[in-house]
Amino acid sequence: RHRSADLYGHPFKKKSIEDSRGYYLMLDDSMILRVVKLFLASQLTRGELRLIGVGRGDSGTTVLHKTLCNMGIRSQHEEANCNFPSRKTTFNSTGLLALYTAFKALRKKVFTKSSDVIKMSDIVQLKYLITQYSSAPEAFAVHDTPVPFLLSSFIRASPYALVVHMIRSPARAWVLSRFRSGHGNHDIICSERFFAALDDPFDIISCLTLGNEHNLSFADTFMSMLHLNSTQPNLVVKAYEKYVWKVRKLVQPSHLFEFDLWRCAMLQNTTRCDTNAVLRPELTAFLKNVNNNSVLPMALPLT
């Protein structure tokens, strides 16, 4: 107990993050505890991630990324990035590749109907990788997969970041677009048994936690969104609606920017929204209006 108390005590304030990690690794050699200690040690520094794009795929995340790039803001959308201080910055050097790889490994277990029982280490590893990426010096703005599947954890790791949510309404329009592009065939979602217990069925950390508590396998805890859409399409629509409301619940209104490209096009009476005329000035105004020096985190208390 005295060891965990030391984490926030005076002696640790003088230690560098590297020293803290080394200290924790000497305490115990078990794999799970090593990951836990690395995760706790990484909490000692405030993350550099300043903007989290929480829009789900096929909602305009690429448009947002390109808009930020044109505004001169450092941004990363999966493997694409812009405005980084060094040309040597890559998908791998920022730490996002490690997180994306772990997410794909989990997704593979779902699609292969793995009978492996979910362990606490599966959860801790993802949380640790999120914290590592969020605290990377190169990180600034991030969008798209796997961010929307790890919403709450990204917000916990970077409580001072701003949140930009590209949405598509009505929800059924997003579902149709997701499958029309073929991307919906690769998405995973929590099993129907957990829908009532979750305010975000796409949240894989919460889903893993429930699976671990009930000693379930990956196959029993998750399902493919394609399968759910073929049997109960209304549940997929409901899941997206719950996701949109979860974002609004987690983030203070002053730190949340929502934008619907399709509604923008409809109001302009065009087939495509003029982002330079609408999205860019509105996003610029949002960024200017936010008091970045506020001592209050952008996230509302998480329960």
Side-chain angles (χ1 to χ4, degrees):
R1 293 180 61 182
H2 71 282
R3 295 293 189 190
S4 60
D6 285 346
L7 180 60
Y8 299 103
H10 180 71
F12 258 87
K13 292 183 180 179
K14 294 183 178 180
K15 287 183 176 289
S16 67
I17 188 70
E18 290 78 13
D19 290 339
S20 303
R21 288 174 183 162
Y23 174 81
Y24 272 102
L25 288 175
M26 288 189 294
L27 293 180
D28 197 294
D29 290 328
S30 75
M31 180 60 69
I32 295 178
L33 283 180
R34 285 184 64 185
V35 176
V36 170
K37 290 160 188 172
L38 282 169
F39 172 66
L40 291 174
S42 64
Q43 298 288 330
L44 293 172
T45 58
R46 176 178 166 182
E48 294 295 326
L49 196 58
R50 293 292 174 261
L51 190 150
I52 307 173
V54 298
R56 305 201 68 83
D58 293 287
S59 65
T61 59
T62 300
V63 172
L64 172 62
H65 168 68
K66 290 180 178 178
T67 300
L68 291 172
C69 289
N70 292 335
M71 292 169 64
I73 295 175
R74 193 189 316 162
S75 178
Q76 184 157 17
H77 183 280
E78 295 186 333
E79 295 188 40
N81 62 59
C82 65
N83 300 320
F84 279 83
S86 172
R87 292 185 178 182
K88 294 181 180 180
T89 301
T90 64
F91 191 40
N92 184 29
S93 67
T94 61
L96 190 58
L97 176 60
L99 178 59
Y100 192 65
T101 301
F103 171 76
K104 287 202 299 183
L106 185 152
R107 187 170 58 185
K108 183 178 180 180
K109 287 186 176 182
V110 175
F111 280 100
T112 57
K113 300 186 183 302
S114 172
S115 59
D116 292 350
V117 176
I118 294 173
K119 301 176 182 178
M120 182 58 69
S121 57
D122 296 316
I123 303 169
V124 173
Q125 180 198 28
L126 281 173
K127 288 185 175 182
Y128 167 65
L129 291 174
I130 292 168
T131 305
Q132 283 293 89
Y133 171 70
S134 299
S135 61
E138 301 91 347
F140 194 92
V142 64
H143 323 270
D144 215 331
T145 303
V147 177
F149 292 94
L150 302 161
L151 172 67
S152 298
S153 298
F154 261 95
I155 289 177
R156 283 188 175 96
S158 302
Y160 290 87
L162 304 179
V163 172
V164 177
H165 193 186
M166 303 298 285
I167 60 175
R168 185 160 188 174
S169 57
R172 192 173 299 278
W174 174 79
V175 175
L176 292 173
S177 174
R178 190 66 176 159
F179 283 106
R180 192 182 301 121
S181 68
H183 297 140
N185 301 343
H186 310 295
D187 283 346
I188 58 175
I189 195 167
C190 291
S191 174
E192 297 170 57
R193 72 177 74 191
F194 295 136
F195 262 61
L198 295 171
D199 53 3
D200 175 17
F202 289 109
D203 186 347
I204 59 175
I205 295 291
S206 297
C207 201
L208 284 169
T209 302
L210 287 172
N212 175 253
E213 290 174 353
H214 292 84
N215 200 34
L216 298 175
S217 67
F218 286 89
D220 293 329
T221 305
F222 293 93
M223 63 192 310
S224 73
M225 197 169 82
L226 177 63
H227 173 73
L228 182 60
N229 192 58
S230 64
T231 56
Q232 298 192 62
N234 288 335
L235 280 184
V236 181
V237 173
K238 185 66 176 178
Y240 182 71
E241 291 174 343
K242 293 179 81 169
Y243 177 80
V244 172
W245 281 105
K246 176 66 176 289
V247 175
R248 294 170 180 169
K249 176 184 175 182
L250 287 180
V251 185
Q252 292 186 26
S254 61
H255 285 66
L256 174 62
F257 177 81
E258 285 186 352
F259 195 86
D260 188 332
L261 285 172
W262 289 265
R263 178 171 173 77
C264 166
M266 182 183 69
L267 293 175
Q268 291 181 331
N269 196 27
T270 60
T271 57
R272 204 177 276 269
C273 175
D274 186 346
T275 55
N276 285 327
V278 184
L279 174 59
R280 180 167 177 166
E282 288 189 12
L283 183 57
T284 300
F286 165 73
L287 296 175
K288 285 183 177 180
N289 288 335
V290 173
N291 179 9
N292 292 319
N293 296 319
S294 172
V295 296
L296 296 175
M298 66 90 190
L300 295 173
L302 299 175
T303 57

